[in-house]
Amino acid sequence: EVQLVESGGGLVQPGGSLRLSCAASGFTFDDYAMSWVRQAPGTGLEWVSAIKWDGDITYYAESMKGRFTISRDNAKSTLYLQMNSLKSEDTAVYYCAKVGNPYFSGDRDEFDYWGQGTQVTVSS
């Protein structure tokens, strides 16, 4: 079965950095775009970032541009999110999500599998 397991979350001070990882299994990892989505306390889901199947093209929500970097290691079937200059507003559960297509369009994308999430807390 498809499994997505996030790790790397934790408590960090404002301005600090974290790197999240998502270990994927149960599907051909390099056949699919991947994405990160987050959910802050008491709010709905917010799309964060996505990456094309081969890592050649990346996509970011406006508030993450210049601070977050998505990447993937297809040989390891692992997705990453490097988060720098973290703000309190970044506090959320971060989910790794599989896109049901090799490409990410930003329109009508289906996230067909999700990980369990990893908590990121940005606080002084």
Side-chain angles (χ1 to χ4, degrees):
E1 81 248 355
V2 172
Q3 288 193 86
L4 300 170
V5 181
E6 301 97 333
S7 61
L11 176 65
V12 64
Q13 294 183 346
S17 298
L18 283 174
R19 189 180 79 155
L20 307 183
S21 298
C22 170
S25 61
F27 66 100
T28 305
F29 184 69
D30 61 3
D31 278 353
Y32 296 96
M34 296 293 295
S35 186
W36 290 97
V37 182
R38 71 185 185 185
Q39 186 168 33
T43 73
L45 296 168
E46 179 185 22
W47 175 76
V48 173
S49 185
I51 187 166
K52 183 169 169 274
W53 70 271
D54 59 1
D56 284 352
I57 306 174
T58 58
Y59 311 82
Y60 301 93
E62 191 64 34
S63 63
M64 287 73 164
K65 289 180 180 177
R67 301 190 301 123
F68 290 9
T69 303
I70 190 170
S71 62
R72 64 193 297 162
D73 186 338
N74 284 347
K76 297 180 179 179
S77 295
T78 301
L79 177 73
Y80 302 98
L81 184 68
Q82 178 67 47
M83 304 186 294
N84 299 325
S85 301
L86 283 162
K87 308 172 182 179
S88 60
E89 306 96 278
D90 296 317
T91 295
V93 177
Y94 284 72
Y95 297 95
C96 171
K98 174 181 174 291
V99 180
N101 196 282
Y103 312 95
F104 180 79
S105 72
D107 184 27
R108 301 187 192 93
D109 294 293
E110 185 71 23
F111 304 133
D112 53 6
Y113 292 93
W114 297 68
Q116 85 288 348
T118 186
Q119 176 71 49
V120 172
T121 302
V122 184
S123 178
S124 59

